[in-house]
Amino acid sequence: MPADLLATPDLLRSVFRRHAAGVAVVTARGEAGPVGFTATSLTSVSAEPPLLSFGVGTGSSSWPAIAAADHVGVHILGEHQQELAATFARSGVDRFGPPTAWREGPEGVPVLDGVLAWLVGRVVARVPAGDHRIVLAEVVHGDPTGTGRPLLYHQGRFQRLGD
């Protein structure tokens, strides 16, 4: 079997670079203030009850707050929010400082302004998955009324949806 077909972390990354994904920011209230990160692993799991999931690395700066949070916020970003997505993907920056616009939302969860849609979910499980955890949350609040087109992530870059 050729070496390029063997299962490796690089193979997985290379294949998923070809998979276009919507861009979300996950937020939570932490002991030292709000935390958040950019995620492309967001999935709708169930309609009854309304469940969603996302992955988070256990080595990420947001993991301790997500590990302890009762509720999380999930924000669907618009194509006008590439810089916001990049901010929440960077390490060592104040993700909630200017120019990020946000407010305290339901259940004390940080809610970002100007997004296409947002949800607040009650964490129901954190499932070990390699160097990540899959977080399952039951939706308890939300707003789908933002305007615009979704931001995508493909080939290692933020992209706009083509017609």
Side-chain angles (χ1 to χ4, degrees), residues 37-126:
F37 62 96
T38 300
T40 56
S41 61
L42 180 64
T43 305
S44 170
V45 175
S46 168
E48 284 295 326
L51 293 173
L52 61 84
S53 72
F54 59 87
V56 56
T58 56
S60 77
S61 60
S62 297
W63 171 241
I66 300 293
D70 292 329
H71 292 84
V72 293
V74 175
H75 307 81
I76 308 300
L77 299 191
E79 63 186 9
H80 63 286
Q81 295 178 304
Q82 289 185 27
E83 188 53 43
L84 182 66
T87 295
F88 277 85
R90 278 188 213 109
S91 296
V93 300
D94 180 3
R95 296 172 178 159
F96 289 88
T100 301
W102 66 281
R103 65 190 184 285
E104 185 174 307
E107 311 299 338
V109 172
V111 173
L112 301 175
D113 293 340
V115 296
L116 298 186
W118 59 266
L119 297 167
V120 169
R122 180 180 57 82
V123 176
V124 296
R126 294 171 185 88

